[in-house]
Coordinates of all heavy atoms in Angstrom, one line a residue:
I1 N 121.7 74.1 76.5 CA 120.3 74.0 76.4 C 119.6 74.7 77.6 O 118.6 75.4 77.4 CB 119.8 72.5 76.2 CG1 120.3 72.0 74.9 CG2 118.3 72.4 76.3 CD1 120.0 70.5 74.7
V2 N 120.1 74.5 78.8 CA 119.5 75.1 79.9 C 119.7 76.6 79.8 O 118.7 77.3 80.1 CB 120.3 74.6 81.2 CG1 119.8 75.4 82.4 CG2 120.0 73.1 81.4
V3 N 120.8 77.1 79.4 CA 120.9 78.6 79.2 C 119.9 79.1 78.2 O 119.3 80.2 78.5 CB 122.4 78.9 78.8 CG1 122.5 80.4 78.5 CG2 123.4 78.5 79.8
A4 N 119.7 78.4 77.2 CA 118.7 78.9 76.2 C 117.3 78.9 76.8 O 116.5 79.8 76.5 CB 118.8 78.0 74.9
A5 N 117.0 77.9 77.5 CA 115.6 77.8 78.2 C 115.5 79.0 79.2 O 114.4 79.6 79.2 CB 115.5 76.5 78.9
V6 N 116.5 79.3 79.9 CA 116.4 80.4 80.9 C 116.3 81.7 80.2 O 115.5 82.5 80.5 CB 117.7 80.3 81.9 CG1 117.7 81.6 82.7 CG2 117.7 79.1 82.7
A7 N 117.1 81.9 79.1 CA 117.0 83.1 78.3 C 115.6 83.3 77.7 O 115.1 84.3 77.7 CB 118.1 83.1 77.2
F8 N 115.1 82.2 77.2 CA 113.7 82.2 76.6 C 112.7 82.6 77.6 O 111.8 83.4 77.5 CB 113.4 80.9 76.0 CG 112.1 80.9 75.3 CD1 111.8 81.5 74.1 CD2 111.0 80.2 75.9 CE1 110.6 81.6 73.5 CE2 109.7 80.2 75.3 CZ 109.5 80.9 74.1
A9 N 112.8 82.0 78.8 CA 111.9 82.3 79.9 C 112.0 83.7 80.3 O 111.0 84.4 80.6 CB 112.1 81.3 81.1
A10 N 113.2 84.2 80.3 CA 113.4 85.6 80.7 C 112.7 86.6 79.7 O 112.1 87.6 80.1 CB 114.8 86.0 80.9
C11 N 112.9 86.2 78.4 CA 112.2 87.0 77.4 C 110.7 87.0 77.5 O 110.1 88.0 77.4 CB 112.7 86.4 76.1 SG 112.0 87.4 74.6
D12 N 110.2 85.8 77.8 CA 108.8 85.6 78.0 C 108.3 86.5 79.2 O 107.3 87.1 79.2 CB 108.4 84.1 78.3 CG 107.8 83.5 77.1 OD1 107.6 84.1 76.0 OD2 107.5 82.3 77.2
S13 N 109.1 86.4 80.2 CA 108.7 87.2 81.4 C 108.7 88.7 81.2 O 107.8 89.4 81.6 CB 109.8 86.9 82.5 OG 109.3 87.1 83.7
R14 N 109.7 89.2 80.4 CA 109.7 90.6 80.0 C 108.5 91.0 79.2 O 107.8 92.0 79.4 CB 111.0 91.0 79.3 CG 112.1 91.3 80.2 CD 113.2 91.9 79.3 NE 113.7 91.0 78.3 CZ 114.8 90.3 78.3 NH1 115.7 90.5 79.3 NH2 115.2 89.5 77.3
Q15 N 108.2 90.1 78.2 CA 107.0 90.3 77.4 C 105.7 90.3 78.2 O 104.8 91.1 78.0 CB 106.9 89.3 76.3 CG 108.0 89.5 75.2 CD 108.0 88.4 74.1 OE1 107.4 87.3 74.4 NE2 108.6 88.7 73.0
E16 N 105.7 89.4 79.1 CA 104.5 89.2 80.0 C 104.3 90.4 80.9 O 103.2 91.0 81.1 CB 104.5 87.9 80.8 CG 103.3 87.7 81.6 CD 102.0 87.5 80.9 OE1 102.0 87.2 79.6 OE2 100.9 87.7 81.5
N17 N 105.5 90.8 81.5 CA 105.5 92.1 82.3 C 105.0 93.3 81.5 O 104.2 94.1 82.0 CB 106.8 92.3 82.9 CG 107.1 91.4 84.0 OD1 106.2 90.7 84.6 ND2 108.4 91.2 84.4
A18 N 105.5 93.4 80.3 CA 105.1 94.6 79.4 C 103.6 94.5 79.1 O 102.9 95.5 79.2 CB 105.9 94.6 78.2
R19 N 103.1 93.3 78.8 CA 101.6 93.2 78.5 C 100.8 93.5 79.7 O 99.9 94.3 79.7 CB 101.4 91.7 78.1 CG 99.9 91.4 77.6 CD 99.7 90.0 77.4 NE 99.5 89.2 78.6 CZ 98.4 89.2 79.4 NH1 97.4 90.0 79.1 NH2 98.4 88.5 80.5
E20 N 101.2 93.0 80.9 CA 100.5 93.3 82.2 C 100.6 94.8 82.5 O 99.6 95.4 82.9 CB 101.0 92.5 83.3 CG 100.6 91.1 83.2 CD 101.1 90.2 84.3 OE1 101.8 90.7 85.3 OE2 100.9 89.0 84.3
N21 N 101.7 95.4 82.3 CA 101.9 96.9 82.5 C 101.0 97.7 81.6 O 100.4 98.7 82.0 CB 103.3 97.3 82.3 CG 104.2 96.9 83.5 OD1 103.7 96.5 84.6 ND2 105.5 96.8 83.3
N22 N 100.8 97.2 80.3 CA 100.0 97.9 79.4 C 98.5 97.8 79.8 O 97.7 98.8 79.7 CB 100.1 97.4 78.0 CG 101.4 97.9 77.3 OD1 101.9 98.9 77.7 ND2 101.9 97.2 76.4
L23 N 98.1 96.6 80.3 CA 96.7 96.4 80.7 C 96.5 97.2 81.9 O 95.4 97.9 82.1 CB 96.5 94.9 81.0 CG 96.5 94.0 79.8 CD1 96.5 92.5 80.3 CD2 95.2 94.3 79.0
E24 N 97.4 97.3 82.9 CA 97.2 98.1 84.1 C 97.2 99.6 83.7 O 96.3 100.3 84.3 CB 98.4 97.9 85.0 CG 98.2 98.5 86.4 CD 97.1 97.9 87.1 OE1 96.8 96.7 87.1 OE2 96.5 98.7 88.0
R25 N 98.0 100.1 82.8 CA 97.9 101.4 82.4 C 96.6 101.8 81.8 O 96.0 102.8 82.0 CB 99.1 101.7 81.4 CG 99.3 103.2 81.1 CD 100.6 103.5 80.4 NE 101.1 102.5 79.5 CZ 102.2 101.6 79.8 NH1 102.8 101.8 81.1 NH2 102.6 100.7 79.0
K26 N 96.1 100.9 80.9 CA 94.8 101.1 80.3 C 93.7 101.2 81.3 O 92.8 102.0 81.3 CB 94.5 100.0 79.3 CG 93.3 100.2 78.4 CD 93.1 99.1 77.4 CE 91.8 99.3 76.6 NZ 91.7 98.3 75.6
A27 N 93.7 100.2 82.3 CA 92.7 100.2 83.4 C 92.8 101.5 84.2 O 91.8 102.1 84.5 CB 92.9 99.0 84.3
D28 N 94.0 101.9 84.5 CA 94.2 103.2 85.2 C 93.6 104.4 84.4 O 93.0 105.3 85.0 CB 95.6 103.5 85.5 CG 96.2 102.6 86.6 OD1 95.4 101.9 87.3 OD2 97.5 102.5 86.7
N29 N 93.9 104.4 83.1 CA 93.3 105.5 82.3 C 91.8 105.5 82.3 O 91.2 106.6 82.3 CB 93.9 105.4 80.9 CG 95.4 105.8 80.7 OD1 95.9 106.5 81.6 ND2 96.0 105.3 79.7
L30 N 91.2 104.3 82.2 CA 89.7 104.2 82.3 C 89.2 104.7 83.6 O 88.2 105.4 83.6 CB 89.3 102.8 82.1 CG 89.5 102.3 80.6 CD1 89.3 100.7 80.6 CD2 88.4 102.9 79.7
E31 N 89.9 104.4 84.7 CA 89.5 104.9 86.0 C 89.7 106.4 86.1 O 88.8 107.1 86.7 CB 90.2 104.2 87.1 CG 89.8 102.8 87.3 CD 90.6 102.0 88.3 OE1 91.7 102.5 88.7 OE2 90.1 101.0 88.8
D32 N 90.7 107.0 85.5 CA 90.9 108.4 85.5 C 89.8 109.1 84.7 O 89.3 110.1 85.1 CB 92.2 108.8 84.9 CG 93.4 108.4 85.8 OD1 93.2 108.1 87.0 OD2 94.6 108.4 85.3
A33 N 89.4 108.4 83.6 CA 88.3 109.0 82.8 C 87.0 109.0 83.6 O 86.2 109.9 83.4 CB 88.1 108.2 81.5
A34 N 86.8 107.9 84.3 CA 85.6 107.8 85.2 C 85.6 109.0 86.2 O 84.5 109.6 86.4 CB 85.5 106.5 85.9
D35 N 86.7 109.3 86.8 CA 86.7 110.4 87.7 C 86.4 111.8 87.0 O 85.7 112.6 87.6 CB 88.2 110.5 88.3 CG 88.4 109.4 89.3 OD1 87.5 108.7 89.7 OD2 89.7 109.2 89.6
V36 N 86.9 111.9 85.8 CA 86.6 113.2 85.0 C 85.1 113.2 84.7 O 84.5 114.3 84.9 CB 87.5 113.1 83.8 CG1 87.0 114.3 82.9 CG2 89.0 113.4 84.1
V37 N 84.6 112.1 84.4 CA 83.1 112.1 84.0 C 82.3 112.5 85.2 O 81.4 113.3 85.2 CB 82.7 110.7 83.5 CG1 81.2 110.6 83.5 CG2 83.3 110.5 82.1
R38 N 82.6 111.9 86.4 CA 81.9 112.3 87.6 C 82.1 113.7 88.0 O 81.1 114.4 88.3 CB 82.4 111.4 88.8 CG 81.8 110.0 88.8 CD 82.2 109.4 90.2 NE 81.6 108.0 90.1 CZ 82.3 106.9 89.7 NH1 83.5 107.0 89.4 NH2 81.7 105.7 89.8
T39 N 83.3 114.2 87.9 CA 83.5 115.6 88.2 C 82.7 116.6 87.3 O 82.1 117.5 87.7 CB 85.0 115.9 88.2 OG1 85.7 115.1 89.1 CG2 85.3 117.4 88.4
Q40 N 82.8 116.3 86.0 CA 82.1 117.1 85.0 C 80.6 117.0 85.2 O 79.9 118.1 85.1 CB 82.5 116.7 83.6 CG 82.0 117.6 82.5 CD 82.5 119.0 82.8 OE1 83.7 119.3 83.0 NE2 81.6 120.0 82.6
A41 N 80.0 115.9 85.4 CA 78.6 115.8 85.7 C 78.2 116.6 86.9 O 77.1 117.2 86.9 CB 78.2 114.3 85.9
E42 N 79.0 116.5 87.9 CA 78.7 117.3 89.1 C 78.7 118.8 88.9 O 77.9 119.6 89.3 CB 79.7 116.9 90.3 CG 79.3 117.5 91.6 CD 78.0 117.1 92.1 OE1 77.5 115.9 91.9 OE2 77.3 117.9 92.8
K43 N 79.8 119.3 88.1 CA 79.8 120.7 87.8 C 78.7 121.1 86.9 O 78.1 122.2 87.1 CB 81.1 120.9 87.0 CG 82.4 120.9 87.9 CD 83.6 121.2 87.0 CE 84.9 121.1 87.9 NZ 86.1 121.4 87.1
T44 N 78.3 120.2 85.9 CA 77.1 120.5 85.1 C 75.8 120.6 85.9 O 75.0 121.6 85.8 CB 77.0 119.5 84.0 OG1 78.2 119.5 83.2 CG2 75.8 119.8 83.1
A45 N 75.6 119.6 86.8 CA 74.5 119.7 87.7 C 74.4 120.9 88.5 O 73.3 121.5 88.8 CB 74.4 118.4 88.5
D46 N 75.6 121.3 89.1 CA 75.7 122.4 90.0 C 75.3 123.7 89.2 O 74.6 124.6 89.7 CB 77.1 122.6 90.6 CG 77.4 121.5 91.6 OD1 76.4 120.9 92.1 OD2 78.6 121.4 92.0
A47 N 75.8 123.8 87.9 CA 75.5 124.9 87.0 C 74.0 124.9 86.8 O 73.4 126.1 86.8 CB 76.2 124.9 85.8
V48 N 73.3 123.9 86.6 CA 71.9 123.8 86.3 C 71.2 124.4 87.6 O 70.3 125.2 87.4 CB 71.4 122.4 86.0 CG1 69.9 122.2 86.1 CG2 71.9 121.9 84.7
E49 N 71.6 123.9 88.7 CA 71.0 124.4 90.0 C 71.2 125.9 90.2 O 70.3 126.7 90.6 CB 71.4 123.6 91.1 CG 71.0 122.2 91.1 CD 71.6 121.3 92.2 OE1 72.8 121.6 92.6 OE2 71.1 120.3 92.5
R50 N 72.5 126.4 89.9 CA 72.8 127.8 90.1 C 72.0 128.7 89.2 O 71.6 129.8 89.5 CB 74.3 128.0 89.8 CG 75.1 128.3 91.0 CD 76.6 128.7 90.6 NE 77.1 128.2 89.4 CZ 77.7 127.1 89.2 NH1 77.9 126.3 90.3 NH2 78.2 126.7 88.1
N51 N 71.7 128.2 87.9 CA 71.0 129.0 86.9 C 69.5 129.0 87.1 O 68.8 129.6 86.2 CB 71.5 128.6 85.5 CG 72.9 129.0 85.3 OD1 73.4 130.0 85.8 ND2 73.6 128.0 84.6
D52 N 69.0 128.4 88.1 CA 67.6 128.3 88.3 C 67.0 129.6 88.8 O 67.5 130.1 89.9 CB 67.2 127.2 89.3 CG 65.7 127.1 89.6 OD1 65.0 127.6 88.8 OD2 65.4 126.4 90.6
P53 N 66.2 130.2 88.0 CA 65.6 131.5 88.5 C 64.5 131.3 89.6 O 64.0 132.3 90.1 CB 65.0 132.1 87.2 CG 64.6 130.9 86.4 CD 65.6 129.8 86.7
G54 N 64.3 130.1 90.0 CA 63.4 129.9 91.1 C 61.9 129.7 90.6 O 61.0 129.5 91.4
L55 N 61.7 129.7 89.3 CA 60.4 129.6 88.8 C 59.9 128.1 88.8 O 58.7 127.9 88.9 CB 60.3 130.2 87.4 CG 60.6 131.7 87.3 CD1 60.6 132.1 85.8 CD2 59.6 132.5 88.0
N56 N 60.8 127.3 88.6 CA 60.4 125.8 88.5 C 61.5 124.9 89.1 O 62.2 124.2 88.5 CB 60.2 125.4 87.0 CG 59.4 124.1 86.9 OD1 59.2 123.5 87.9 ND2 59.0 123.9 85.7
S57 N 61.6 125.1 90.4 CA 62.7 124.4 91.2 C 62.6 122.9 91.1 O 63.6 122.3 91.1 CB 62.7 124.8 92.6 OG 63.0 126.2 92.7
S58 N 61.4 122.4 91.0 CA 61.2 120.9 91.0 C 61.9 120.4 89.7 O 62.6 119.4 89.7 CB 59.8 120.6 91.1 OG 59.6 119.2 90.8
T59 N 61.6 121.0 88.6 CA 62.2 120.6 87.3 C 63.7 120.8 87.3 O 64.4 119.9 86.8 CB 61.6 121.4 86.2 OG1 60.2 121.2 86.1 CG2 62.1 121.0 84.8
T60 N 64.2 121.8 87.8 CA 65.6 122.0 88.0 C 66.3 121.0 88.8 O 67.3 120.4 88.4 CB 65.9 123.4 88.6 OG1 65.3 124.4 87.8 CG2 67.4 123.7 88.7
E61 N 65.7 120.6 89.9 CA 66.2 119.6 90.7 C 66.2 118.2 90.0 O 67.2 117.5 90.0 CB 65.4 119.5 92.0 CG 66.0 118.5 93.0 CD 65.1 118.4 94.3 OE1 64.6 119.5 94.6 OE2 65.1 117.3 94.8
K62 N 65.2 118.0 89.3 CA 65.1 116.7 88.5 C 66.2 116.6 87.4 O 66.8 115.6 87.2 CB 63.7 116.5 87.9 CG 62.7 116.1 89.0 CD 61.3 116.0 88.3 CE 60.3 115.7 89.4 NZ 58.9 115.7 88.8
T63 N 66.3 117.8 86.8 CA 67.3 117.9 85.7 C 68.7 117.6 86.2 O 69.5 116.9 85.7 CB 67.2 119.2 85.0 OG1 65.9 119.4 84.4 CG2 68.2 119.3 83.9
A64 N 69.0 118.3 87.3 CA 70.3 118.2 88.0 C 70.6 116.7 88.4 O 71.7 116.2 88.2 CB 70.5 119.2 89.2
D65 N 69.6 116.1 89.0 CA 69.7 114.8 89.5 C 69.9 113.8 88.3 O 70.7 112.9 88.3 CB 68.5 114.3 90.2 CG 68.3 114.9 91.6 OD1 69.4 115.5 92.1 OD2 67.3 114.9 92.2
A66 N 69.2 114.1 87.1 CA 69.4 113.3 85.9 C 70.8 113.4 85.4 O 71.4 112.4 85.0 CB 68.4 113.6 84.9
V67 N 71.4 114.6 85.4 CA 72.7 114.8 85.0 C 73.7 114.0 85.8 O 74.6 113.3 85.4 CB 73.1 116.3 84.9 CG1 74.6 116.5 84.8 CG2 72.3 117.0 83.9
R68 N 73.5 114.1 87.2 CA 74.4 113.4 88.1 C 74.3 111.8 87.9 O 75.3 111.1 87.8 CB 74.1 113.7 89.6 CG 74.5 115.1 89.9 CD 74.2 115.3 91.4 NE 74.7 116.7 91.8 CZ 73.9 117.8 91.8 NH1 72.5 117.6 91.7 NH2 74.4 118.9 92.2
E69 N 73.1 111.4 87.7 CA 72.8 109.9 87.6 C 73.4 109.4 86.2 O 74.1 108.3 86.2 CB 71.3 109.6 87.6 CG 70.8 109.7 89.0 CD 69.3 109.6 89.1 OE1 68.7 109.2 88.1 OE2 68.7 110.0 90.1
A70 N 73.3 110.2 85.1 CA 73.9 109.8 83.9 C 75.4 109.8 84.0 O 76.1 108.8 83.4 CB 73.4 110.8 82.8
G71 N 76.0 110.8 84.6 CA 77.4 110.8 84.9 C 77.9 109.5 85.7 O 78.9 108.9 85.3
E72 N 77.1 109.2 86.7 CA 77.4 108.1 87.5 C 77.4 106.8 86.7 O 78.3 105.9 86.8 CB 76.5 108.0 88.7 CG 77.0 107.1 89.8 CD 78.3 107.4 90.4 OE1 78.6 108.6 90.6 OE2 79.0 106.5 90.8
R73 N 76.4 106.6 85.9 CA 76.3 105.4 85.1 C 77.4 105.3 84.1 O 78.1 104.2 83.9 CB 74.9 105.4 84.3 CG 73.7 105.0 85.1 CD 72.5 104.7 84.2 NE 72.1 105.8 83.4 CZ 71.4 106.9 83.8 NH1 70.9 106.9 85.0 NH2 71.1 107.9 83.0
K74 N 77.8 106.4 83.5 CA 78.9 106.4 82.5 C 80.2 106.1 83.2 O 81.0 105.3 82.8 CB 79.0 107.8 81.8 CG 80.0 107.8 80.7 CD 80.0 109.1 79.9 CE 81.1 109.0 78.8 NZ 81.0 110.3 78.0
A75 N 80.4 106.7 84.4 CA 81.6 106.5 85.1 C 81.7 105.0 85.6 O 82.8 104.4 85.6 CB 81.7 107.4 86.4
D76 N 80.6 104.5 86.1 CA 80.5 103.1 86.5 C 80.9 102.1 85.3 O 81.6 101.2 85.5 CB 79.1 102.7 87.0 CG 78.9 103.3 88.4 OD1 79.9 103.8 89.1 OD2 77.7 103.3 88.8
A77 N 80.4 102.5 84.1 CA 80.7 101.7 82.9 C 82.2 101.7 82.6 O 82.8 100.7 82.3 CB 79.9 102.1 81.8
L78 N 82.8 102.9 82.8 CA 84.3 103.0 82.6 C 85.1 102.2 83.6 O 86.0 101.5 83.3 CB 84.7 104.5 82.6 CG 84.3 105.3 81.4 CD1 84.4 106.8 81.7 CD2 85.0 104.9 80.2
E79 N 84.6 102.2 84.8 CA 85.2 101.4 85.9 C 85.1 99.9 85.6 O 85.9 99.1 85.9 CB 84.7 101.8 87.3 CG 85.2 103.2 87.7 CD 84.6 103.7 89.0 OE1 83.6 103.2 89.4 OE2 85.2 104.6 89.6
D80 N 83.9 99.5 85.1 CA 83.7 98.1 84.8 C 84.6 97.7 83.7 O 85.2 96.6 83.7 CB 82.3 97.8 84.3 CG 81.2 98.0 85.4 OD1 81.6 97.9 86.6 OD2 80.0 98.1 85.1
Q81 N 84.9 98.6 82.7 CA 85.8 98.3 81.6 C 87.2 98.1 82.2 O 88.0 97.3 81.8 CB 85.8 99.4 80.6 CG 84.6 99.4 79.7 CD 84.5 100.6 78.7 OE1 85.3 101.5 78.9 NE2 83.7 100.4 77.7
A82 N 87.6 99.0 83.2 CA 88.9 99.0 83.8 C 89.0 97.5 84.5 O 90.1 96.9 84.4 CB 89.0 100.1 84.9
D83 N 88.0 97.1 85.2 CA 88.0 95.8 85.8 C 88.3 94.6 84.9 O 89.0 93.7 85.1 CB 86.7 95.5 86.6 CG 86.6 96.4 87.9 OD1 87.6 97.0 88.3 OD2 85.4 96.6 88.3
I84 N 87.6 94.7 83.7 CA 87.8 93.8 82.6 C 89.2 93.7 82.1 O 89.8 92.6 82.0 CB 86.8 94.0 81.5 CG1 85.4 93.7 82.0 CG2 87.1 93.2 80.3 CD1 84.3 94.2 81.0
E85 N 89.8 94.9 82.0 CA 91.2 95.0 81.5 C 92.1 94.3 82.6 O 93.0 93.6 82.2 CB 91.6 96.5 81.3 CG 91.0 97.1 80.1 CD 91.3 96.3 78.8 OE1 92.4 95.9 78.6 OE2 90.3 96.1 78.1
R86 N 91.9 94.6 83.8 CA 92.7 94.0 84.9 C 92.6 92.5 84.9 O 93.5 91.8 85.3 CB 92.4 94.7 86.2 CG 93.0 96.0 86.4 CD 93.1 96.5 87.8 NE 93.7 97.8 87.8 CZ 93.1 98.9 87.7 NH1 91.8 99.0 87.7 NH2 93.8 100.0 87.7
E87 N 91.4 92.0 84.7 CA 91.2 90.6 84.7 C 91.9 89.8 83.6 O 92.1 88.6 83.7 CB 89.7 90.2 84.6 CG 88.9 90.6 85.9 CD 87.4 90.5 85.7 OE1 86.9 90.0 84.7 OE2 86.7 90.9 86.7
K88 N 92.3 90.6 82.5 CA 93.0 90.0 81.4 C 94.5 89.6 81.9 O 95.1 88.9 81.2 CB 93.1 90.9 80.3 CG 91.7 91.1 79.6 CD 91.9 92.1 78.4 CE 90.6 92.4 77.8 NZ 90.7 93.4 76.7
K89 N 94.9 90.2 83.0 CA 96.3 89.9 83.4 C 96.3 88.4 83.9 O 96.8 87.6 83.9 CB 96.7 90.8 84.5 CG 96.8 92.2 84.1 CD 97.5 93.1 85.1 CE 97.1 93.1 86.5 NZ 97.7 94.1 87.4

């Protein structure tokens, strides 16, 4: 009976480790996605600024800032999701 209990606990442990590893991998993927979103938002904002012919710099600056802020919000939401996944462990 003791051997069966130990074997069952070991099986549970493997399953639990696999579940935790999957949650960690999912959280890591969400954080990687957040990094990509931030990078892409910055590249897009930089392109907006680069393409400004100088006729309306204020609008260009506001547009670029809005792109960066939207990217940051989306990235933050992805990181929040990653935190939720990690809390499931």
Side-chain angles (χ1 to χ4, degrees):
I1 295 178
V2 172
V3 173
V6 170
F8 181 72
C11 183
D12 257 359
S13 202
R14 274 192 300 255
Q15 288 175 341
E16 183 63 19
N17 285 341
R19 186 185 74 77
E20 288 180 2
N21 287 340
N22 285 337
L23 290 170
E24 188 64 31
R25 192 170 26 260
K26 186 174 180 181
D28 288 344
N29 288 340
L30 287 165
E31 288 177 342
D32 290 345
D35 291 341
V36 169
V37 166
R38 278 192 182 93
T39 300
Q40 190 57 45
E42 189 61 34
K43 285 181 181 179
T44 301
D46 288 347
V48 166
E49 291 170 339
R50 248 190 333 273
N51 293 325
D52 178 15
L55 299 175
N56 198 347
S57 296
S58 174
T59 300
T60 299
E61 185 177 328
K62 287 178 185 176
T63 302
D65 288 345
V67 168
R68 287 184 180 99
E69 288 171 14
E72 191 63 32
R73 280 191 305 277
K74 185 174 180 181
D76 287 346
L78 288 166
E79 288 175 341
D80 289 345
Q81 289 176 344
D83 291 342
I84 290 168
E85 290 302 314
R86 285 199 174 91
E87 289 172 5
K88 292 179 183 178
K89 295 194 310 187

